[in-house]
Amino acid sequence: MSEAKLIFPFLDLFQQLRQAGMTLSLEQYNLLRQALGEGFGLANWEAQREEDYWEDLRQVCRVLWVKPSQNYDSEVFDQTFRRYVQQKRREIEAVKY
């Protein structure tokens, strides 16, 4: 894993959400980094079922980034997050083999 991925975790997710139309600020990205640093969003990484790996992270991102307004569409978040997880699963599978 590259050093940039460790310093800026899930920056690619943040960027994909912005590209999908969500108005997210760098301050909101930094809130995620702080939450991850405190252990939030990482509870299920030891889970047996792969589906559970991403759920805690999804919930934390949703709380921090999806607000009840026009610029924070929950459907855009859900669709983009699902695509992101699918992409990461393919990358993980490619590394396994």
Side-chain angles (χ1 to χ4, degrees), residues 35-79:
L36 293 172
E38 295 293 324
F40 296 101
L42 305 174
N44 291 324
W45 288 102
E46 300 292 325
Q48 299 251 328
R49 295 178 350 146
E50 184 184 349
E51 298 84 40
D52 296 336
Y53 295 166
W54 299 96
E55 184 57 26
D56 197 39
L57 175 65
R58 186 190 70 77
Q59 289 177 4
V60 169
C61 290
R62 198 170 225 295
V63 165
L64 294 174
W65 294 346
V66 178
K67 309 292 183 225
S69 86
Q70 207 170 1
N71 294 327
Y72 299 96
D73 188 341
S74 63
E75 288 183 35
V76 170
F77 174 85
D78 290 337
Q79 291 171 0

Side-chain angles (χ1 to χ4, degrees), residues 8-19:
F8 301 109
F10 305 108
L11 180 60
D12 51 347
L13 171 61
F14 176 79
Q15 291 170 330
Q16 287 179 27
L17 288 166
R18 288 179 73 171
Q19 290 171 352

